[in-house]
Amino acid sequence: MRYVVGIDVGGTNLVVGTVAEDGSELLGLVSEPTFSEQGADAVVARIVKLAQASMAEARGKEIAGIGIGSPGPLDTKTGVVLLTPNLGWTNMPLRDRIGDALGLPATLDNDANCAIFGEWWRGAARGARHVVGLTIGTGIGGGIVLDGDIYHGVSDIAGELGHMSIDSNGRRCKCGNYGCLEAYASGPAIASRAIEGVAAGYDTALPKYVNGDLTKITAQVVYEAAHDGDAFALEVVRDTATFLGAGVANIVNIFNPEVVVICGGVTLAGAKLFVPLRSEVRRRAFKPAVEVCRIVPGELPGTAGVYGAAAVFIRRTWGSV
Ligand SMILES: [Zn+2]
């Protein structure tokens, strides 16, 4: 059995693990903060150190290569990260810098593509043929898996599902466009909508959760208050389900997938999100597409990106996962 090191480069954390080629084992799972403010050289050095630590824990196994998932946009053919506002990188040859330092062949793909590919390989979408997913955190990423392979489009932009417009005159998004799904349903967007509601005088206990400091309201705080039965927090979660429902209905109508997998912190909202989300999608999308589609939370929080990055290497190097 061969093994592949999967590397998930995030804006906040780096996660690395060594994965068996059949996905049956994940060894040496290690993680550290990214500390991107220290610059690209320091981040690359930390990634290499983590990979070495992971491989040391997989001692005795044949390590055949490295799969890297990184925020983009990036070029999967040249292995260059073109631009990452969160990490501050421009034209960064990430694949070769890591591959050369470790003396192993490497592949590079978008982090959200990797997370959804991981959920398809080993998680909530196992066994499905066509899968589309969203990773919801600071932003909203997406991944499209068709017939067991990631769909990249012509220039590796396919799957930027967080930037589909759901309101052509809507909120401004960090990408410069208006009305993107991300501007409504990312973690910070959920928090912003809650803070705006508190400031507008809605009756809610939310300020008590943050000792009156509204800037400390996060999406997690909103879910906590919703679980405690706060009516306004529940409304914020239901609105999130409505916005996400519009986005997922678009996905369902365009791709007719078997599974739509939703990953990230938003899944902490549980049934309070997924029940209204599914009914919103039923209301908006074509019935024959809705009937065959499961809308489910991811099953590999923290490791989907590692599995998926390794799976990208396996798929591209050996032809199948
Ligand atoms: Zn956008």
Side-chain angles (χ1 to χ4, degrees):
M1 178 91 70
R2 295 169 291 192
Y3 286 73
V4 174
V5 178
I7 299 176
D8 182 8
V9 180
T12 313
N13 285 302
L14 307 168
V15 188
V16 181
T18 302
V19 184
E21 69 180 301
D22 65 356
S24 62
E25 261 188 306
L26 171 58
L27 303 170
L29 186 67
V30 287
S31 174
E32 263 188 34
T34 308
F35 294 133
S36 59
E37 67 281 4
Q38 294 174 358
D41 291 349
V43 175
V44 168
R46 198 169 297 113
I47 292 168
V48 169
K49 191 188 74 180
L50 282 170
Q52 285 164 337
S54 180
M55 288 190 284
E57 281 192 48
R59 212 177 0 254
K61 310 291 189 193
E62 181 200 340
I63 312 272
I66 302 158
I68 306 159
S70 165
L74 48 77
D75 186 324
T76 58
K77 286 167 205 73
T78 60
V80 173
V81 177
L82 303 175
L83 187 73
T84 55
N86 287 342
L87 294 165
W89 297 346
T90 308
N91 295 324
M92 156 78 151
L94 186 65
R95 181 192 69 195
D96 289 350
R97 287 199 62 181
I98 293 173
D100 292 350
L102 294 167
L104 286 164
T107 57
L108 177 72
D109 211 314
N110 173 279
D111 55 352
N113 285 352
C114 288
I116 304 309
F117 206 38
E119 288 287 350
W120 167 78
W121 192 34
R122 300 300 300 170
R126 259 171 104 156
R129 201 168 140 210
H130 306 309
V131 177
V132 182
L134 298 172
T135 59
I136 305 181
T138 315
I140 297 185
I144 302 162
V145 179
L146 304 177
D147 279 321
D149 204 358
I150 297 170
Y151 176 71
H152 288 98
V154 177
S155 53
D156 291 324
I157 298 298
E160 286 294 351
L161 302 170
H163 301 282
M164 71 171 96
S165 299
I166 59 165
D167 180 349
S168 54
N169 296 307
R171 288 170 178 260
R172 189 174 172 86
C173 180
K174 280 191 293 185
C175 74
N177 186 24
Y178 290 86
C180 295
L181 178 61
E182 178 173 303
Y184 293 84
S186 68
I190 292 165
S192 294
R193 286 191 287 106
I195 292 165
E196 286 165 19
V198 175
Y202 279 88
D203 182 20
T204 169
L206 269 175
K208 289 191 196 128
Y209 288 76
V210 290
N211 294 320
D213 182 356
L214 299 190
T215 62
K216 294 223 159 58
I217 293 177
T218 61
Q220 266 69 21
V221 173
V222 175
Y223 309 146
E224 200 187 327
H227 282 300
D228 294 344
D230 185 86
F232 173 70
L234 278 165
E235 194 181 314
V236 173
V237 172
R238 271 198 304 272
D239 288 345
T240 304
T242 304
F243 296 130
L244 274 179
V248 172
N250 292 341
I251 288 170
V252 165
N253 278 345
I254 295 168
F255 294 102
N256 190 190
E258 281 166 271
V259 182
V260 172
V261 55
I262 312 280
C263 304
V266 77
T267 59
L268 295 173
K272 291 187 171 59
L273 176 82
F274 278 86
V275 170
L277 168 60
R278 290 182 186 115
S279 55
E280 186 67 19
V281 175
R282 260 197 308 279
R283 207 167 65 77
R284 288 175 178 270
F286 279 79
K287 200 173 169 202
V290 174
E291 278 172 346
V292 296
C293 184
R294 291 188 292 127
I295 300 167
V296 295
E299 285 177 2
L300 305 171
T303 57
V306 169
Y307 274 110
V312 167
F313 179 91
I314 292 164
R315 169 84 199 186
R316 263 191 244 156
T317 310
W318 302 319
S320 66
V321 262

